[in-house]
């Protein structure tokens, strides 16, 4: 049963790869991208896209982590429930709505797009940081306190490393959503790979459309994969071993 | 800004778009459930297959929605459905797979083995055990998966307005094109409200379908 399924799975993957090849060739994507001007333009859009994602993610990570850490301190712990509720509510708001609202308050261009992406990316990071740190077993913290660690050392050497897996998941979700939402930023005049997609749909030109859609997809998949690799670097070995056992 | 004025003046149209939005989401989540719940149940019998299926669904989920619409457009154009509701529903069905499959799988896996054993001891067949023990115990978690899927679908359906699927995204799309601020904001607010409202309704449903015994157990546990 497993063997049959494994073979079917491989067959399925190969069919998808071949299909993608046929699609790329038939739609004229190869021709489109071998035009030096268009290729250059696509790369500049890709750079814009990456820049947007990088700036908004950097800001969102800093703020999300700080919110998560602040609301797990004993002083502010009582507000954690409310913050969780607000964040959960914020996450139900569709990305297009956030982008559209940013445009109506801040106008068009790069800044409103980055602001919208930033606001939208804080939520998963803040939520996972909160949840991760809250879920650290109390006896581990007690042990650290018994060893005479200061609060700051407990935070940086016990709580955060233990919560790292959950925090990283939040970061990954946030990054992938961010890359997808950045494609919508074209609508409010911030460029990015979305430009190819939306103009391609409007002109019914599959080559232009795919020149935007395929890099966006690959970017999201790559980001997802890199976050997984990042996990091997920053999650402590002991925790990984514990999981395997 | 007179967002309320705009909504009041165009109440009929807004209502129609809302219904269209709900219709797209309801249809696709219904179809997704028909596929994903049985798949989620079947893969609990085999770890290897479960891993592969969930990974595949995970990859699907990673693809940005507008890029997926873009990739499907030339493919579905071959059968004459490149734009409109068909690609929107297909995309939503694909996106809804992960939350529903994953939650079904986890829920059924987490049914305490002693209960399943007890069912076996009572002489229940596999099918009856599934129907009378595993599914009732798993249903709150499955509904939670549906809830995630529905809320996500509402957001993606708004983007689908750009491929001509209709729904509340039309307000945002046309508002941006005409730089008509009231229209954009009312579209954004209506979509957000719809998502929040449906989320709350699904939370109630989740509470409603939880068997009484589990609720009492939770209370005693605390």
């Amino acid at each position: 049963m497993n063997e049959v399924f494994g073979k079917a799975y491989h067959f399925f993957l190969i069919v998808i790869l071949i299909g993608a090849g046929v699609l790329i060739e038939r739609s004229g994507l190869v021709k489109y991208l071998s035009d030096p001007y268009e290729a250059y333009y696509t790369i500049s859009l890709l750079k814009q896209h990456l820049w947007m994602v990088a700036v908004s993610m950097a800001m969102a990570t800093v703020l999300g982590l700080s919110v998560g850490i602040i609301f797990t301190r004993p002083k502010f712990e009582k507000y954690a429930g409310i913050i969780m509720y607000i964040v959960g509510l914020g996450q139900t708001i569709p990305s297009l709505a956030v982008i559209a609202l940013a445009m109506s308050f801040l106008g068009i261009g790069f800044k409103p797009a980055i602001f919208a992406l930033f606001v939208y990316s804080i939520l998963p990071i803040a939520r996972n940081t909160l949840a991760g740190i809250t879920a650290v077993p109390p006896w581990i913290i007690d042990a650290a306190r018994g060893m005479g660690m200061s609060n700051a050392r407990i935070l940086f050497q016990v709580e955060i490393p233990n919560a790292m897996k959950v925090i990283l998941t939040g970061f990954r979700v946030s990054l992938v959503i961010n890359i997808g939402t950045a494609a919508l930023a074209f609508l409010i005049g911030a460029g990015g790979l979305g430009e190819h997609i939306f103009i391609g749909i409007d002109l019914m030109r599959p080559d232009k459309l795919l020149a935007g859609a395929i890099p966006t997809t690959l970017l999201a998949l790559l980001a997802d994969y890199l976050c997984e690799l990042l996990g091997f670097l920053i999650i402590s070995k002991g925790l990984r071993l514990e999981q395997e056992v | 800004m007179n967002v309320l004025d705009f909504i009041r003046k165009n109440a009929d149209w807004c209502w129609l778009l809302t219904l269209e939005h709900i219709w797209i989401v309801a249809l696709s989540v219904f179809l997704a459930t028909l596929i994903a719940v049985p798949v989620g149940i079947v893969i609990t019998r085999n770890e290897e297959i479960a891993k592969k299926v969930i990974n595949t669904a995970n990859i699907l989920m990673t693809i940005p929605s507008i890029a997926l619409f873009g990739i499907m457009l030339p493919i579905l154009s071959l059968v004459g459905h490149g734009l409109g509701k068909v690609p929107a529903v297909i995309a939503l069905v694909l996106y809804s797979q992960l939350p529903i499959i994953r939650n079904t799988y986890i829920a059924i896996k987490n049914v305490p083995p002693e209960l399943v054993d007890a069912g076996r001891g009572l002489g229940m067949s596999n099918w009856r055990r599934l129907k009378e023990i595993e599914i009732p115990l798993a249903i709150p978690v499955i509904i939670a998966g549906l809830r995630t899927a529905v809320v996500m679908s509402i957001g993606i359906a708004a983007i689908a307005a750009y491929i001509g699927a209709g729904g509340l995204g039309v307000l945002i799309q046309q508002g941006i094109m005409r730089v008509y601020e009231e229209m954009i904001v009312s579209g954004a607010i209506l979509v957000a409200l719809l998502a929040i409202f449906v989320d709350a309704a699904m939370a109630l449903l989740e509470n409603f379908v939880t068997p009484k015994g589990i609720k009492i157990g939770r209370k005693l546990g605390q």
Side-chain angles (χ1 to χ4, degrees):
Chain A
M1 176 68 192
N2 263 346
E3 240 171 57
V4 174
F5 184 79
K7 279 205 173 122
Y9 188 72
H10 282 141
F11 182 71
F12 171 70
L13 285 184
I14 290 169
V15 166
I16 283 191
L17 273 181
I18 292 176
V22 170
L23 182 70
I24 287 170
E25 174 57 33
R26 275 299 172 87
S27 62
L29 179 63
V30 179
K31 219 172 142 196
Y32 180 80
L33 284 180
S34 44
D35 182 338
Y37 175 73
E38 296 290 359
Y40 178 75
Y41 189 56
T42 306
I43 290 174
S44 74
L45 285 183
L46 179 68
K47 271 186 200 156
Q48 250 174 3
H49 202 107
L50 285 175
W51 178 240
M52 238 178 329
V53 171
V55 172
S56 56
M57 269 317 277
M59 296 197 300
T61 309
V62 172
L63 191 67
L65 279 177
S66 357
V67 167
I69 290 171
I70 287 170
F71 287 99
T72 44
R73 296 310 93 200
K75 220 175 175 181
F76 298 100
E77 226 171 3
K78 52 189 173 212
Y79 304 116
I82 303 172
I83 291 290
M84 275 295 233
Y85 181 73
I86 293 174
V87 168
L89 207 63
Q91 267 184 326
T92 58
I93 298 175
S95 51
L96 187 63
V98 175
I99 293 253
L101 286 174
M103 171 187 164
S104 61
F105 291 120
L106 298 170
I108 56 170
F110 220 59
K111 275 181 198 160
I114 287 190
F115 181 75
L117 291 177
F118 160 66
V119 170
Y120 206 55
S121 307
I122 298 171
L123 307 176
I125 299 181
R127 181 155 102 159
N128 277 37
T129 310
L130 253 172
I133 295 185
T134 314
V136 175
W139 59 84
I140 295 187
I141 297 173
D142 269 355
R145 194 159 286 138
M147 285 162 69
M149 283 188 176
S150 67
N151 281 338
R153 267 188 80 190
I154 292 181
L155 174 66
F156 287 110
Q157 296 188 341
V158 179
E159 286 181 307
I160 291 184
N162 271 295
M164 201 37 117
K165 187 168 177 287
V166 185
I167 297 177
L168 200 66
T169 309
F171 179 77
R172 190 166 85 179
V173 169
S174 177
L175 182 60
V176 168
I177 292 179
N178 194 316
I179 290 173
T181 312
L184 300 177
F186 160 69
L187 299 173
I188 58 170
L193 287 166
E195 187 171 332
H196 270 341
I197 304 178
F198 284 106
I199 293 183
I201 291 176
D202 284 345
L203 300 178
M204 262 316 222
R205 277 203 27 206
D207 50 349
K208 199 168 170 59
L209 198 164
L210 288 179
I214 292 179
T216 314
T217 308
L218 290 182
L219 207 61
L221 292 176
L222 185 72
D224 191 55
Y225 179 67
L226 284 182
C227 281
E228 207 145 286
L229 285 189
L230 190 65
F232 283 106
L233 277 180
I234 60 177
I235 296 174
S236 79
K237 227 183 205 168
L239 288 175
R240 261 185 282 134
L241 279 178
E242 185 187 56
Q243 216 169 44
E244 273 167 31
V245 175
Chain B
M1 228 187 320
N2 282 314
V3 176
L4 279 178
D5 262 5
F6 177 87
I7 297 179
R8 211 177 297 140
K9 265 185 206 155
N10 301 288
D12 285 348
W13 190 39
C14 289
W15 181 237
L16 212 71
L17 289 178
T18 311
L19 284 184
E20 198 176 16
H21 207 104
I22 295 174
W23 162 240
I24 297 171
V25 172
L27 176 68
S28 32
V29 173
F30 175 70
L31 291 179
T33 312
L34 283 190
I35 304 171
V37 170
V39 169
I41 293 173
V42 167
I43 60 175
T44 49
R45 313 288 175 215
N46 194 322
E47 293 270 328
E48 281 280 307
I49 296 181
K51 230 185 208 168
K52 275 181 184 156
V53 168
I54 288 178
N55 269 342
T56 312
N58 215 339
I59 289 174
L60 271 179
M61 184 85 153
T62 313
I63 301 174
S65 46
I66 187 66
L68 185 62
F69 290 140
I71 292 172
M72 285 197 315
L73 199 143
I75 302 174
L76 289 175
S77 302
L78 297 177
V79 287
H81 282 294
L83 295 171
K85 288 199 174 54
V86 175
V89 170
I90 294 179
L92 290 182
V93 168
L94 289 179
Y95 280 125
S96 304
Q97 295 302 310
L98 178 67
I100 305 178
I101 290 184
R102 193 181 47 197
N103 275 38
T104 310
Y105 174 75
I106 291 174
I108 302 255
K109 272 267 152 174
N110 281 350
V111 171
E114 61 267 23
L115 293 182
V116 181
D117 270 355
R120 196 172 286 142
L122 285 168
M124 286 181 174
S125 64
N126 274 338
W127 175 244
R128 263 191 82 190
R129 235 173 27 237
L130 190 70
K131 203 180 78 184
E132 290 180 18
I133 298 176
E134 292 178 320
I135 291 184
L137 283 172
I139 205 120
V141 184
I142 297 179
I143 298 283
L146 272 179
R147 181 176 159 195
T148 317
V150 170
V151 171
M152 198 185 57
S153 295
I154 289 176
I156 296 170
I159 299 170
Y162 279 91
I163 54 164
L168 285 167
V170 170
L171 284 174
I172 300 177
Q173 179 207 12
Q174 297 199 356
I176 289 177
M177 266 201 268
R178 303 179 194 172
V179 200
Y180 188 176
E181 218 160 276
E182 282 84 356
M183 204 167 171
I184 304 174
V185 176
S186 52
I189 289 178
L190 284 176
V191 173
L193 281 182
L194 183 65
I196 291 171
F197 178 74
V198 171
D199 189 49
M202 293 291 281
L204 281 184
L205 179 68
E206 209 178 306
N207 190 33
F208 181 71
V209 297
T210 308
K212 233 184 212 160
I214 296 186
K215 277 189 217 163
I216 295 172
R218 271 187 207 155
K219 254 186 210 158
L220 291 180
Q222 271 166 7

